[in-house]
Amino acid sequence: MTFPSLRSRLIVIILAPLLLIAAGVTVWQFSSETDRAEDIFDRGLLSAALAISRDVAISDGDALSPTTRRLINNTSGGEVFYHVFAPDGVFVTGYSTPPVLPKSVPAELSEPYYYDARYQGRDVRVMRFQYVTTVSDVAGVYNVTVWQNAALRRNFVQELVTRSTMVIASLVVSVGFIVWFGVGLGLRPLLDLEQAIAKRTPTELEPIRRDVPAEARGIVTTLNALLDRVSRRISSKDEFISNAAHQLRNPVAGVLALAEAVENAPNPEAAKTRSAELILAARQASRLTNQLLSFERAAGSDLSLNSELFDLNTVVTEVADSFGADLAGTDVTLDVEVPDRALRLRGDRIMIKEAIRNILSNALVHGGGRLTRIVLTLSDCDDTAVVTVRDDGVGIPKTKHLQAINRFGQVNAGPGSGLGLPIAVRVMSQHKGHLNILDVPDGAGIQLTFPIDRP
């Protein structure tokens, strides 16, 4: 069920249980008042019967006292009818034909007996009472029957329940109005917060600093965290665009210059040579562009959407196989060592392959002339998987480890873009792992540590 507003939702949540309670109280009160009315009216019939029996004994059945007549004319709000007959069944006083006694009633009654009957087309409540006395020298058990219209009891109960129901309904309506206006006052800080947010422009992403109720502080905190992430994301995008424009300016200018040189070549041999240089420059520009895109993707990758469970052994093997093409025409060899059992990792498979490949490419590009061997190792350590890339090249001085992982930072001048290790660092950060530059005596060593999922 949907609600047009938070106020309506709160009203329903508060009033629905209240209405159920009110209905339950009404039903309980109806039952209680019915029992109470039965007791009050039955006591009234008993009082009338006792008064009639007393007057019959005193007056020998000739007349009832004025006090008794007033009592039976207005007992519990209605007239009481009566009938008295002697032990031999002779009528003594009262109305001539009392309601019929049920057949299951014994002839002798030790206590007053109450029952419901029909009398002249109406429902009545009847009480039969027996007592021993002497009237006009006739001694024995006398029977006194008194009855009253049952509608009086129903009207009495209905009046009481109606009054109570009106009181309860008035209280519920009053509570409804109080809650309606109270919720409106309670939600006013949220409405003020909404207006404050609505006045913001797309460039205003500073945290919201406004006094709000304790229940809304979580929303403001979450919104501030979102604004902070959006602000950092926009800053990252702006920085990426600036860096891309800066880094691509020279390669694009070089490609354009080589293209013009090919066009203006004096002979076919010169054109061929310059075409080869143009292709090489275009490839370098393409490589730089791809690395810039990979760097940005590594920062904005959403693992909740892109993550999958895969075997890291397979990924390392695939990267090693594809990297073999880069080693063609060189004297560098690649050795791969992976464990026999599977190492399950949850994450972005493509970006992890990109990170490992960038580290291998870094070793090949920046290893120098002494580079002859690269070793790619995957090992299992407790709840982590460790990917290590070692080479026998010129290495990375310990004083330049921080520079090596900064964007566009190169320890030694070379043809690279300076994005290989920063891409790997971002990928590891996304996967809650970390990258370490090892302090080794010979060559360079890069280590990637991943948390893994055990079966």
Side-chain angles (χ1 to χ4, degrees), residues 4 84 121 128 157 162 168 186 226 248 265 272 285 327 339 402 437:
V84 180
R128 172 67 64 89
V157 173
T162 300
I168 293 174
L226 175 61
L248 290 174
K272 185 176 181 180
L327 298 178
L402 183 60
I437 301 178

Side-chain angles (χ1 to χ4, degrees), residues 191-206 208 210 223:
L191 298 178
D192 295 340
L193 179 61
E194 177 189 4
Q195 294 175 359
I197 295 174
K199 292 179 180 178
R200 293 217 169 187
T201 63
T203 58
E204 296 181 45
L205 297 177
E206 293 79 11
I208 297 172
R210 177 179 289 269
L223 182 59

